Structures are given as C-alpha cells and as structure tokens.
Amino acid sequence: MFFTCGPNEAMVVSGFCRSPPVMVAGGRVFVLPCIQQIQRISLNTLTLNVKSEKVYTRHGVPISVTGIAQVKIQGQNKEMLAAACQMFLGKTEAEIAHIALETLEGHQRAIMAHMTVEEIYKDRQKFSEQVFKVASSDLVNMGISVVSYTLKDIHDDQDYLHSLGKARTAQVQKDARIGEAEAKRDAGIREAKAKQEKVSAQYLSETEMAKAQRDYELKKATYDIEVNTRRAQADLAYQLQVAKTKQQIEEQRVQVQVVERAQQVAVQEQEIARREKELEARVRKPAEAERYRLERLAEAERSQLIMQAEAEAESVRMRGEAEAFAIGARAQAEAEQMAKKAEAFQLYQEAAQLDMLLEKLPQVAEEISGPLTSTKKITLVSSGSGAVGAAKVTGEVLDILSHLPESVERLTGISISQVNHKPLRTA
C-alpha cells in the first residue's frame, strides 16, 4: 500500500499478487505488482454546525449551545493520513463530517456539563478554548485536525439567560450611570481645574501684560520726557533766536526811526523857525498892536461900566431910600388911620362896625353879580307865575341881596336892622 496526495484528496493504492510479472530492461530486472484496488479520501476543510440542545450545566440549568467548527483530514502528516485512511477509507465526505460532528458535540456537551451558565455566557472564549482543546486531542487520533472552533449561540427555554441579561443590563446601566456621574464629576473637576488654570494663566498673562504695559509706559514716559525736553530746548532755542533776530531787527528799525526822527526834527525845527519868522512878520506884530488897542478899549469900556454901575447903584440906593421913606410914611399914615379907626371903634363900637359893613356891601354885591357879567347865554324856565325875562334875573339877584343881612348876622352876629333902630353909644 502506498499513498499519493493531491491538494484536495489522497489516493490509496493497494494490491496483492502471488507471482508478480518480471520485466528485464537494459540489464535490469523490474518486478511489477498486481494492482487490485485504488481508493480516494477527501482532504477538503469541513464546516460543522455543532448543536447541543438542552444540556444541563453544572448547576442543573438546561441550555442550548451552537458552535461552528472547521475540520479537515491532515494530508501533510503521514501518520495522521494513515490513521484517517484506516478510519474513513471507503467513506464519503458526509459520513466523515457526521463522525467528526458527533465527536465534537459529545465533547461540547461534556464541557457544558462541567461549567455553569454564567461561565459559558460571560467567558465564551474560555468555553471555546476548552472545546477546541479536548476535541482536537480526540480527533487527531482519527487523522482529523480541528482548524477552528467558535461559540455561535447560547439560548435556553427558561429565560435564565434573559434574567442574567436583565441583571447584567441593570448592572451595566448602573455602572453606566455611575460611570457617567463619575465622568461628569471628573469632567467637572477637570473643567474647574482647567478653568482655574485658564484663569490663573489669564491672570498671569494679564499681569505680565500689565507689567509689560507698565514698563512700556514708563519707558515711553521717559522717552517722551527726554523728547519733550529736547523739543522744548529746541523750541526755546528757536524762540530765543527768533527773539534775538527780532530784537536786532527792532534795534535797526529803531535806529532807522531815530535817524528819520532826527531828520524830521531838524526839518520841523527849520520849518518852525521859518514859520516863527513868518508869524513874527505877518501875525505877531499886528496882533500885538491889535491886542494893545483892544486892551485900551477894554479898559475904557470897563471904566465906563464901572461908572455906570456906580451911578445905577447910587440911583437904586436913592430910589430905595425914597421908597422906604414913602413906605414908612404910608405905614405911619395907615397906622395913624388905624389908630383913629380904633379910637372910633372904641368910641362908636357898633356904629363903626356897621359903617364897615356898609362900606363892604357894594363889593359883596359886585362879587355876587360878577358871574352874571361873564355869562354869554341864559336859559330861563318859567313856571307860569311871576316875572319873565330880564326882570326875572334882576329879581333873583335882588332876592339874593335881600338875604344878605341875614348871612352877615349869622357870620358876625351883628344885625343891620337892629343897629338902625338903636341909639348910638359913646364910650
């Protein structure tokens, strides 16, 4: 028996012959066997869907597990290939796959029975490694090598995994909330620290900027003082030079004016001398003559006025003396007259008084009738009885005069009618 291997299959040649043929070629002898049978075995990789339904785990919880396995007959290893030929020679690929699947499922169930649901569910990698390790050690004796094994699915009919999921989900959510809170806390702390560092950096930066600004302002102020000092010195020097120049110009102008003034004074003096001579010739001498004449005339007029004033004063004095003498004489005469009247009043008393009243009555009548003399128009209204016209006016005047003695008696206490009937009394 010998093997020939291709990429996808192995061919096994086996034969038996009691008297094999002999062939001589080139002085050599070849014995040709009698070939009786040729068989092939597949070297393709087989994909196996390993299902274990309702297997009780270590704690007695039934679960179902599905795994995916990749297996193949190892054609590169002669020992494994010989073992595979012994096991599977003459079998189809499906039959080989079924044998390998049954082997893997058995090992998968055995691993499930020794583990808890939580271990299988939480650590799939560990379960896959154990199945791969146990199955590989068993299948290698059959000439089959396990290329890979992966746990595809875990489920159960009791909602045990769902409960685990809920607890896990709650725990995960709790952890997520805690993690989120811690993350927010850490983020807040980091943010606060960052803000603090930012503020500190900002304050430090602003402080540095303020220091730099202060240094700049101080240097600028120093430079400005120096520049302003130099500028002020330059301005003062310029103003001083301008003042000096103006002073020189003014001095020269004053000198020019002095010279011009001296010349003008000389010309004016000459003009004055000329005009004095001209005045002397034309005005002064005639003026002096005229002044002398006017002085003589004024003196004569003053003497005349003095004489006239003295004459008028003498005339006024004499007139005053004459008037004073006349007034004195008149006053003396009136005094004598009044004395005589007084003596007459003492002698005749009521008769003298009556005489005085009778003397004044015409004046009173004149004063009463005086307004009528200046009247231009008189309108008389008659009541139908008595006089009419001018007779009416005359009657009104006479009526007023007839009441005059009564008025005199009320004013002086002297009755004219009684005086006329009384005898005169002497002192």
PDB file of all heavy atoms in Angstrom, residues 93-117:
ATOM      1  N   GLU A  93     -17.582  11.927   2.130  1.00  0.00           N
ATOM      2  CA  GLU A  93     -17.266  13.170   2.885  1.00  0.00           C
ATOM      3  C   GLU A  93     -18.328  13.458   3.914  1.00  0.00           C
ATOM      4  O   GLU A  93     -18.034  13.924   5.033  1.00  0.00           O
ATOM      5  CB  GLU A  93     -17.128  14.338   1.899  1.00  0.00           C
ATOM      6  CG  GLU A  93     -16.662  15.638   2.532  1.00  0.00           C
ATOM      7  CD  GLU A  93     -16.390  16.712   1.497  1.00  0.00           C
ATOM      8  OE1 GLU A  93     -15.710  16.436   0.480  1.00  0.00           O
ATOM      9  OE2 GLU A  93     -16.879  17.854   1.706  1.00  0.00           O
ATOM     10  N   ALA A  94     -19.591  13.178   3.590  1.00  0.00           N
ATOM     11  CA  ALA A  94     -20.679  13.428   4.549  1.00  0.00           C
ATOM     12  C   ALA A  94     -20.557  12.511   5.738  1.00  0.00           C
ATOM     13  O   ALA A  94     -20.806  12.917   6.887  1.00  0.00           O
ATOM     14  CB  ALA A  94     -22.027  13.248   3.852  1.00  0.00           C
ATOM     15  N   GLU A  95     -20.159  11.300   5.485  1.00  0.00           N
ATOM     16  CA  GLU A  95     -20.006  10.366   6.586  1.00  0.00           C
ATOM     17  C   GLU A  95     -18.849  10.769   7.496  1.00  0.00           C
ATOM     18  O   GLU A  95     -18.957  10.703   8.728  1.00  0.00           O
ATOM     19  CB  GLU A  95     -19.771   8.964   6.041  1.00  0.00           C
ATOM     20  CG  GLU A  95     -20.996   8.371   5.348  1.00  0.00           C
ATOM     21  CD  GLU A  95     -20.689   7.042   4.680  1.00  0.00           C
ATOM     22  OE1 GLU A  95     -19.489   6.787   4.418  1.00  0.00           O
ATOM     23  OE2 GLU A  95     -21.638   6.292   4.432  1.00  0.00           O
ATOM     24  N   ILE A  96     -17.784  11.228   6.897  1.00  0.00           N
ATOM     25  CA  ILE A  96     -16.650  11.708   7.698  1.00  0.00           C
ATOM     26  C   ILE A  96     -17.082  12.906   8.533  1.00  0.00           C
ATOM     27  O   ILE A  96     -16.770  13.031   9.726  1.00  0.00           O
ATOM     28  CB  ILE A  96     -15.463  12.051   6.789  1.00  0.00           C
ATOM     29  CG1 ILE A  96     -14.964  10.784   6.066  1.00  0.00           C
ATOM     30  CG2 ILE A  96     -14.343  12.683   7.592  1.00  0.00           C
ATOM     31  CD1 ILE A  96     -13.926  11.051   4.997  1.00  0.00           C
ATOM     32  N   ALA A  97     -17.845  13.823   7.907  1.00  0.00           N
ATOM     33  CA  ALA A  97     -18.306  15.024   8.616  1.00  0.00           C
ATOM     34  C   ALA A  97     -19.233  14.637   9.755  1.00  0.00           C
ATOM     35  O   ALA A  97     -19.179  15.230  10.848  1.00  0.00           O
ATOM     36  CB  ALA A  97     -19.022  15.961   7.635  1.00  0.00           C
ATOM     37  N   HIS A  98     -20.078  13.648   9.539  1.00  0.00           N
ATOM     38  CA  HIS A  98     -21.004  13.228  10.590  1.00  0.00           C
ATOM     39  C   HIS A  98     -20.244  12.661  11.772  1.00  0.00           C
ATOM     40  O   HIS A  98     -20.576  12.961  12.936  1.00  0.00           O
ATOM     41  CB  HIS A  98     -21.994  12.207  10.032  1.00  0.00           C
ATOM     42  CG  HIS A  98     -22.957  11.706  11.055  1.00  0.00           C
ATOM     43  ND1 HIS A  98     -23.996  12.481  11.562  1.00  0.00           N
ATOM     44  CD2 HIS A  98     -23.040  10.503  11.692  1.00  0.00           C
ATOM     45  CE1 HIS A  98     -24.673  11.783  12.443  1.00  0.00           C
ATOM     46  NE2 HIS A  98     -24.104  10.549  12.543  1.00  0.00           N
ATOM     47  N   ILE A  99     -19.225  11.839  11.500  1.00  0.00           N
ATOM     48  CA  ILE A  99     -18.431  11.266  12.587  1.00  0.00           C
ATOM     49  C   ILE A  99     -17.728  12.367  13.367  1.00  0.00           C
ATOM     50  O   ILE A  99     -17.727  12.385  14.611  1.00  0.00           O
ATOM     51  CB  ILE A  99     -17.417  10.250  12.013  1.00  0.00           C
ATOM     52  CG1 ILE A  99     -18.157   9.029  11.422  1.00  0.00           C
ATOM     53  CG2 ILE A  99     -16.430   9.806  13.078  1.00  0.00           C
ATOM     54  CD1 ILE A  99     -17.260   8.099  10.642  1.00  0.00           C
ATOM     55  N   ALA A 100     -17.143  13.294  12.660  1.00  0.00           N
ATOM     56  CA  ALA A 100     -16.452  14.403  13.336  1.00  0.00           C
ATOM     57  C   ALA A 100     -17.432  15.252  14.128  1.00  0.00           C
ATOM     58  O   ALA A 100     -17.153  15.708  15.253  1.00  0.00           O
ATOM     59  CB  ALA A 100     -15.705  15.260  12.310  1.00  0.00           C
ATOM     60  N   LEU A 101     -18.666  15.493  13.562  1.00  0.00           N
ATOM     61  CA  LEU A 101     -19.681  16.301  14.244  1.00  0.00           C
ATOM     62  C   LEU A 101     -20.125  15.630  15.530  1.00  0.00           C
ATOM     63  O   LEU A 101     -20.260  16.292  16.570  1.00  0.00           O
ATOM     64  CB  LEU A 101     -20.864  16.522  13.301  1.00  0.00           C
ATOM     65  CG  LEU A 101     -22.055  17.313  13.887  1.00  0.00           C
ATOM     66  CD1 LEU A 101     -21.621  18.718  14.287  1.00  0.00           C
ATOM     67  CD2 LEU A 101     -23.187  17.390  12.861  1.00  0.00           C
ATOM     68  N   GLU A 102     -20.329  14.314  15.459  1.00  0.00           N
ATOM     69  CA  GLU A 102     -20.754  13.601  16.656  1.00  0.00           C
ATOM     70  C   GLU A 102     -19.686  13.677  17.739  1.00  0.00           C
ATOM     71  O   GLU A 102     -19.982  13.852  18.941  1.00  0.00           O
ATOM     72  CB  GLU A 102     -21.061  12.146  16.313  1.00  0.00           C
ATOM     73  CG  GLU A 102     -22.300  11.943  15.448  1.00  0.00           C
ATOM     74  CD  GLU A 102     -23.581  12.332  16.156  1.00  0.00           C
ATOM     75  OE1 GLU A 102     -23.622  12.255  17.424  1.00  0.00           O
ATOM     76  OE2 GLU A 102     -24.549  12.757  15.491  1.00  0.00           O
ATOM     77  N   THR A 103     -18.459  13.592  17.324  1.00  0.00           N
ATOM     78  CA  THR A 103     -17.359  13.663  18.287  1.00  0.00           C
ATOM     79  C   THR A 103     -17.302  15.039  18.935  1.00  0.00           C
ATOM     80  O   THR A 103     -17.179  15.186  20.161  1.00  0.00           O
ATOM     81  CB  THR A 103     -16.024  13.317  17.606  1.00  0.00           C
ATOM     82  OG1 THR A 103     -16.124  12.012  16.992  1.00  0.00           O
ATOM     83  CG2 THR A 103     -14.886  13.339  18.604  1.00  0.00           C
ATOM     84  N   LEU A 104     -17.411  16.074  18.108  1.00  0.00           N
ATOM     85  CA  LEU A 104     -17.361  17.459  18.632  1.00  0.00           C
ATOM     86  C   LEU A 104     -18.547  17.740  19.558  1.00  0.00           C
ATOM     87  O   LEU A 104     -18.399  18.377  20.601  1.00  0.00           O
ATOM     88  CB  LEU A 104     -17.343  18.455  17.474  1.00  0.00           C
ATOM     89  CG  LEU A 104     -15.989  18.650  16.773  1.00  0.00           C
ATOM     90  CD1 LEU A 104     -16.168  19.466  15.498  1.00  0.00           C
ATOM     91  CD2 LEU A 104     -15.005  19.355  17.705  1.00  0.00           C
ATOM     92  N   GLU A 105     -19.736  17.238  19.179  1.00  0.00           N
ATOM     93  CA  GLU A 105     -20.912  17.502  20.001  1.00  0.00           C
ATOM     94  C   GLU A 105     -20.771  16.833  21.357  1.00  0.00           C
ATOM     95  O   GLU A 105     -21.150  17.391  22.401  1.00  0.00           O
ATOM     96  CB  GLU A 105     -22.168  17.004  19.296  1.00  0.00           C
ATOM     97  CG  GLU A 105     -23.447  17.337  20.058  1.00  0.00           C
ATOM     98  CD  GLU A 105     -24.683  16.823  19.352  1.00  0.00           C
ATOM     99  OE1 GLU A 105     -24.572  16.269  18.242  1.00  0.00           O
ATOM    100  OE2 GLU A 105     -25.784  16.998  19.933  1.00  0.00           O
ATOM    101  N   GLY A 106     -20.225  15.628  21.339  1.00  0.00           N
ATOM    102  CA  GLY A 106     -20.027  14.952  22.606  1.00  0.00           C
ATOM    103  C   GLY A 106     -19.095  15.713  23.515  1.00  0.00           C
ATOM    104  O   GLY A 106     -19.362  15.884  24.716  1.00  0.00           O
ATOM    105  N   HIS A 107     -17.978  16.139  22.981  1.00  0.00           N
ATOM    106  CA  HIS A 107     -17.046  16.935  23.796  1.00  0.00           C
ATOM    107  C   HIS A 107     -17.678  18.268  24.232  1.00  0.00           C
ATOM    108  O   HIS A 107     -17.448  18.741  25.351  1.00  0.00           O
ATOM    109  CB  HIS A 107     -15.762  17.178  23.007  1.00  0.00           C
ATOM    110  CG  HIS A 107     -14.940  15.940  22.815  1.00  0.00           C
ATOM    111  ND1 HIS A 107     -14.396  15.220  23.856  1.00  0.00           N
ATOM    112  CD2 HIS A 107     -14.556  15.266  21.678  1.00  0.00           C
ATOM    113  CE1 HIS A 107     -13.739  14.183  23.397  1.00  0.00           C
ATOM    114  NE2 HIS A 107     -13.818  14.187  22.060  1.00  0.00           N
ATOM    115  N   GLN A 108     -18.485  18.888  23.343  1.00  0.00           N
ATOM    116  CA  GLN A 108     -19.146  20.151  23.678  1.00  0.00           C
ATOM    117  C   GLN A 108     -20.111  19.949  24.840  1.00  0.00           C
ATOM    118  O   GLN A 108     -20.173  20.761  25.772  1.00  0.00           O
ATOM    119  CB  GLN A 108     -19.886  20.707  22.443  1.00  0.00           C
ATOM    120  CG  GLN A 108     -20.569  22.053  22.672  1.00  0.00           C
ATOM    121  CD  GLN A 108     -21.099  22.630  21.377  1.00  0.00           C
ATOM    122  OE1 GLN A 108     -20.355  23.256  20.632  1.00  0.00           O
ATOM    123  NE2 GLN A 108     -22.380  22.392  21.102  1.00  0.00           N
ATOM    124  N   ARG A 109     -20.889  18.842  24.834  1.00  0.00           N
ATOM    125  CA  ARG A 109     -21.805  18.555  25.918  1.00  0.00           C
ATOM    126  C   ARG A 109     -21.042  18.318  27.225  1.00  0.00           C
ATOM    127  O   ARG A 109     -21.467  18.750  28.303  1.00  0.00           O
ATOM    128  CB  ARG A 109     -22.637  17.329  25.579  1.00  0.00           C
ATOM    129  CG  ARG A 109     -23.755  17.577  24.585  1.00  0.00           C
ATOM    130  CD  ARG A 109     -24.462  16.274  24.225  1.00  0.00           C
ATOM    131  NE  ARG A 109     -25.622  16.517  23.409  1.00  0.00           N
ATOM    132  CZ  ARG A 109     -26.844  16.774  23.849  1.00  0.00           C
ATOM    133  NH1 ARG A 109     -27.058  16.774  25.164  1.00  0.00           N
ATOM    134  NH2 ARG A 109     -27.844  16.981  23.033  1.00  0.00           N
ATOM    135  N   ALA A 110     -19.922  17.607  27.104  1.00  0.00           N
ATOM    136  CA  ALA A 110     -19.129  17.327  28.308  1.00  0.00           C
ATOM    137  C   ALA A 110     -18.607  18.621  28.923  1.00  0.00           C
ATOM    138  O   ALA A 110     -18.663  18.810  30.157  1.00  0.00           O
ATOM    139  CB  ALA A 110     -17.985  16.396  27.961  1.00  0.00           C
ATOM    140  N   ILE A 111     -18.128  19.530  28.106  1.00  0.00           N
ATOM    141  CA  ILE A 111     -17.631  20.820  28.607  1.00  0.00           C
ATOM    142  C   ILE A 111     -18.772  21.598  29.234  1.00  0.00           C
ATOM    143  O   ILE A 111     -18.623  22.225  30.296  1.00  0.00           O
ATOM    144  CB  ILE A 111     -16.940  21.608  27.490  1.00  0.00           C
ATOM    145  CG1 ILE A 111     -15.726  20.831  26.947  1.00  0.00           C
ATOM    146  CG2 ILE A 111     -16.507  22.982  27.976  1.00  0.00           C
ATOM    147  CD1 ILE A 111     -14.668  20.537  27.959  1.00  0.00           C
ATOM    148  N   MET A 112     -19.975  21.601  28.598  1.00  0.00           N
ATOM    149  CA  MET A 112     -21.136  22.321  29.121  1.00  0.00           C
ATOM    150  C   MET A 112     -21.533  21.776  30.488  1.00  0.00           C
ATOM    151  O   MET A 112     -21.925  22.533  31.383  1.00  0.00           O
ATOM    152  CB  MET A 112     -22.312  22.204  28.159  1.00  0.00           C
ATOM    153  CG  MET A 112     -22.128  22.989  26.859  1.00  0.00           C
ATOM    154  SD  MET A 112     -23.414  22.631  25.635  1.00  0.00           S
ATOM    155  CE  MET A 112     -24.873  23.190  26.500  1.00  0.00           C
ATOM    156  N   ALA A 113     -21.455  20.472  30.671  1.00  0.00           N
ATOM    157  CA  ALA A 113     -21.855  19.863  31.936  1.00  0.00           C
ATOM    158  C   ALA A 113     -20.914  20.235  33.062  1.00  0.00           C
ATOM    159  O   ALA A 113     -21.309  20.187  34.237  1.00  0.00           O
ATOM    160  CB  ALA A 113     -21.932  18.347  31.779  1.00  0.00           C
ATOM    161  N   HIS A 114     -19.680  20.542  32.773  1.00  0.00           N
ATOM    162  CA  HIS A 114     -18.707  20.889  33.803  1.00  0.00           C
ATOM    163  C   HIS A 114     -18.623  22.406  34.069  1.00  0.00           C
ATOM    164  O   HIS A 114     -17.849  22.838  34.925  1.00  0.00           O
ATOM    165  CB  HIS A 114     -17.314  20.370  33.416  1.00  0.00           C
ATOM    166  CG  HIS A 114     -17.178  18.885  33.531  1.00  0.00           C
ATOM    167  ND1 HIS A 114     -17.550  18.021  32.532  1.00  0.00           N
ATOM    168  CD2 HIS A 114     -16.713  18.077  34.564  1.00  0.00           C
ATOM    169  CE1 HIS A 114     -17.332  16.773  32.897  1.00  0.00           C
ATOM    170  NE2 HIS A 114     -16.819  16.775  34.149  1.00  0.00           N
ATOM    171  N   MET A 115     -19.393  23.228  33.358  1.00  0.00           N
ATOM    172  CA  MET A 115     -19.344  24.694  33.516  1.00  0.00           C
ATOM    173  C   MET A 115     -20.740  25.217  33.888  1.00  0.00           C
ATOM    174  O   MET A 115     -21.756  24.554  33.653  1.00  0.00           O
ATOM    175  CB  MET A 115     -18.876  25.384  32.233  1.00  0.00           C
ATOM    176  CG  MET A 115     -17.433  25.060  31.865  1.00  0.00           C
ATOM    177  SD  MET A 115     -16.886  25.918  30.361  1.00  0.00           S
ATOM    178  CE  MET A 115     -16.893  27.618  30.949  1.00  0.00           C
ATOM    179  N   THR A 116     -20.772  26.342  34.499  1.00  0.00           N
ATOM    180  CA  THR A 116     -22.053  26.996  34.797  1.00  0.00           C
ATOM    181  C   THR A 116     -22.492  27.855  33.614  1.00  0.00           C
ATOM    182  O   THR A 116     -21.708  28.168  32.697  1.00  0.00           O
ATOM    183  CB  THR A 116     -21.923  27.890  36.045  1.00  0.00           C
ATOM    184  OG1 THR A 116     -20.993  28.949  35.774  1.00  0.00           O
ATOM    185  CG2 THR A 116     -21.447  27.066  37.242  1.00  0.00           C
ATOM    186  N   VAL A 117     -23.788  28.219  33.669  1.00  0.00           N
ATOM    187  CA  VAL A 117     -24.321  29.080  32.595  1.00  0.00           C
ATOM    188  C   VAL A 117     -23.593  30.422  32.585  1.00  0.00           C
ATOM    189  O   VAL A 117     -23.269  30.973  31.518  1.00  0.00           O
ATOM    190  CB  VAL A 117     -25.834  29.275  32.783  1.00  0.00           C
ATOM    191  CG1 VAL A 117     -26.394  30.210  31.715  1.00  0.00           C
ATOM    192  CG2 VAL A 117     -26.559  27.937  32.758  1.00  0.00           C
TER     193      VAL A 117
END
